[in-house]
Amino acid sequence: MKVGEMRYLWLLLGTCGWVLLILTLATKYVDLRAINDYGRMIHNHHWVVSSMRQISLSSSESALRLSLDPSTVERWGTLVERRNQLISTVCKDSQIRNLTHVAIKKSVLDRIYVSDKNKILYCQIPKLANTQWKKILMVLNGAYPDVKKIPDKIANDQKKNGLIRLSSFSSQDITTRLHTYFKFFIVRNPFERLMASFNDKFVKNPKFEPWYRHDIAPAPLAKTLNSKLDNAIANAGLQFQHFARYLGDVGNRKRLDQQFGDHIVDWMTYAELCAPCEINYNVVGHYETLQKDAPYILRAAGISKLVSFPAIHPAITRFNKTRMQDLFSGVRKEDIRNLYARFQGDFRLFAYPRPDFLMMSDDQA
Ligand SMILES: *[C@@H]1O[C@H](CO)[C@@H](O)[C@H](O)[C@H]1NC(C)=O
Ligand SMILES: *[C@@H]1O[C@H](CO)[C@@H](O)[C@H](O)[C@H]1NC(C)=O
């Protein structure tokens, strides 16, 4: 090779190096911006969902197939880490301690499903893709070859799904699993979850659980009737405004909740159900971004090669402000404030901002 050619080659190599360096720096800058947006958002209490959408903007339709490219995995990992930091910060806030801390009692251990084979613990919360996660655990257990082959009815039947609860182990085995297994659960905007629970139990009742309407609904309704609501409303059945007033009323609720027993899991707080201040969960996924969180969880748990999460269209999971405004338009501001006070722990632990747009002005004098 001639000297001239050598020089040319070195020049070319140098140029490539520079281009690479600039590209790397540019990528880092973009990453940092995405992360900063999230950090700012936690402090300023903007809707988490909108900022997360920024992060997912770059991803194509293939995100719907629920696979993540490596750079998304990395960024999502940073986001999950920030969420976890927020949880531990809020857990230390003594002002809302009674809303965030619960003992790891049997009712909590009952909610946690175990996969010993893959060392996974999943704390189930009704309606937040709960059935899908149960199916995934069933496939991992080897009972079924594919998530699609499992009927919902079987997955939701405690006697038939074959899933093991953490409460069935000895206390030492429980402790070992809590310390060494991969742990996760899913949350959603607490008010959207109440909305979904209300629809599921008192409006559509698709699972044929008539006791909600017959046994549980009359109690909050009777309570509101005492405060000058007339029979016309009684005839129309339980409305969301009655449900909201009932949930926000701490004293009355305690008494009735006990009477209703297990049936109230749909409106217990995430803190009460899964004890996130006591149990160090690896990932708390958000329903609003399930398209990213679900595949991230599968990867983080080391099972992405064994199972996949079915595609869910973002329109189903995304936060809808209009829908919430519509639903709460009939609820007294005072009741909304009480309701927020009651669910404040969940809002703050999981970075859901205070829904001021619902509480702004007083229409009631
Ligand atoms: C939690 O404690 C605060 C006072 O520190 C009290 O106002 C609130 O009612 C309590 N909430 C519950 C659910 O016990
Ligand atoms: C939000 O909810 C409203 C009322 O239920 C509905 O009309 C609208 O289409 C929803 N918007 C989106 C973006 O899903």
Side-chain angles (χ1 to χ4, degrees):
M1 206 180 277
K2 280 200 225 113
V3 179
E5 269 175 19
M6 272 295 261
R7 232 223 243 116
Y8 183 67
L9 203 67
W10 278 114
L11 206 66
L12 200 70
L13 268 172
T15 314
C16 285
W18 273 109
V19 168
L20 261 174
L21 190 69
I22 287 163
L23 273 178
T24 315
L25 285 176
T27 322
K28 276 273 179 314
Y29 175 68
V30 170
D31 274 357
L32 279 175
R33 275 193 35 158
I35 291 161
N36 279 343
D37 281 348
Y38 184 71
R40 226 183 16 240
M41 187 189 51
I42 287 178
H43 296 302
N44 291 355
H45 289 268
H46 290 301
W47 286 103
V48 170
V49 185
S50 62
S51 144
M52 286 200 198
R53 210 172 287 144
Q54 284 180 348
I55 293 177
S56 53
L57 264 184
S58 58
S59 63
S60 62
E61 267 292 297
S62 70
L64 288 177
R65 298 273 78 81
L66 295 184
S67 61
L68 294 177
D69 59 85
S71 77
T72 313
V73 169
E74 198 180 306
R75 270 180 296 170
W76 213 255
T78 312
L79 184 69
V80 165
E81 205 38 59
R82 283 193 173 260
R83 286 176 182 164
N84 288 346
Q85 277 164 13
L86 180 72
I87 291 170
S88 67
T89 305
V90 175
C91 288
K92 290 189 196 105
D93 185 340
S94 56
Q95 300 242 304
I96 54 165
R97 224 193 130 74
N98 59 352
L99 296 171
T100 55
H101 286 263
V102 296
I104 307 181
K105 48 186 187 249
K106 185 170 180 299
S107 66
V108 173
L109 300 173
D110 271 344
R111 306 215 60 75
I112 300 178
Y113 284 125
V114 184
S115 168
D116 269 334
K117 206 161 146 195
N118 297 281
K119 296 192 167 22
I120 294 171
L121 300 180
Y122 162 58
C123 184
Q124 59 155 337
I125 293 180
K127 267 181 273 333
L128 307 187
N130 187 28
T131 308
Q132 289 305 335
W133 288 113
K134 283 195 263 193
K135 288 182 182 177
I136 282 180
L137 292 183
M138 288 163 78
V139 171
L140 290 177
N141 284 351
Y144 286 84
D146 184 358
V147 168
K148 289 191 209 76
K149 300 240 155 53
I150 311 174
D152 284 4
K153 232 174 127 183
I154 305 273
N156 287 315
D157 188 331
Q158 186 52 31
K159 291 193 194 76
K160 291 185 186 151
N161 63 19
L163 296 175
I164 297 164
R165 293 171 189 245
L166 192 53
S167 55
S168 65
F169 291 89
S170 72
S171 65
Q172 203 200 328
D173 286 347
I174 290 171
T175 308
T176 311
R177 282 167 177 74
L178 283 174
H179 281 119
T180 58
Y181 283 17
F182 177 86
K183 303 169 284 296
F184 77 99
F185 70 104
I186 309 289
V187 295
R188 183 184 193 180
N189 179 296
F191 279 3
E192 280 224 302
R193 170 175 168 245
L194 290 181
M195 187 161 72
S197 300
F198 179 76
N199 280 334
D200 189 52
K201 299 303 177 199
F202 300 112
V203 182
K204 293 191 203 122
N205 211 332
K207 291 195 201 85
F208 306 105
E209 300 161 312
W211 60 84
Y212 280 98
R213 273 186 194 166
H214 298 152
D215 302 342
I216 292 183
L221 189 58
K223 197 178 113 34
T224 51
L225 279 174
N226 291 340
S227 56
K228 62 186 186 254
L229 285 173
D230 59 20
N231 281 329
I233 295 175
N235 293 335
L238 185 77
Q239 308 290 304
F240 187 74
Q241 65 205 34
H242 309 133
F243 184 60
R245 190 179 301 185
Y246 161 64
L247 292 183
D249 182 337
V250 176
N252 242 307
R253 236 202 98 183
K254 269 205 180 111
R255 189 169 52 76
L256 284 171
D257 277 1
Q258 266 163 17
Q259 192 181 316
F260 298 148
D262 258 3
H263 299 319
I264 59 160
V265 290
D266 286 274
W267 49 94
M268 278 168 75
T269 65
Y270 300 130
E272 289 168 317
L273 292 171
C274 296
C277 287
E278 280 65 38
I279 296 171
N280 217 346
Y281 288 94
N282 299 71
V283 183
V284 178
H286 285 217
Y287 188 74
E288 288 84 353
T289 48
L290 201 59
Q291 293 73 22
K292 289 276 194 296
D293 277 301
Y296 180 83
I297 287 167
L298 297 184
R299 279 185 81 119
I303 51 171
S304 57
K305 299 237 158 57
L306 306 172
V307 280
S308 63
F309 202 88
I312 296 180
H313 199 278
I316 293 171
T317 60
R318 161 167 78 212
F319 175 73
N320 185 332
K321 190 171 169 178
T322 314
R323 190 173 54 197
M324 190 177 283
Q325 267 166 330
D326 287 352
L327 187 79
F328 278 82
S329 63
V331 185
R332 298 188 314 177
K333 303 293 176 210
E334 183 195 338
D335 294 336
I336 301 178
R337 279 191 289 266
N338 287 339
L339 196 62
Y340 177 74
R342 162 90 187 121
F343 286 87
Q344 190 190 161
D346 282 356
F347 274 95
R348 300 219 4 230
L349 282 169
F350 308 113
Y352 292 103
R354 204 180 122 99
D356 283 328
F357 65 96
L358 295 175
M359 302 189 257
M360 230 44 131
S361 67
D362 250 306
D363 55 348
Q364 219 96 10

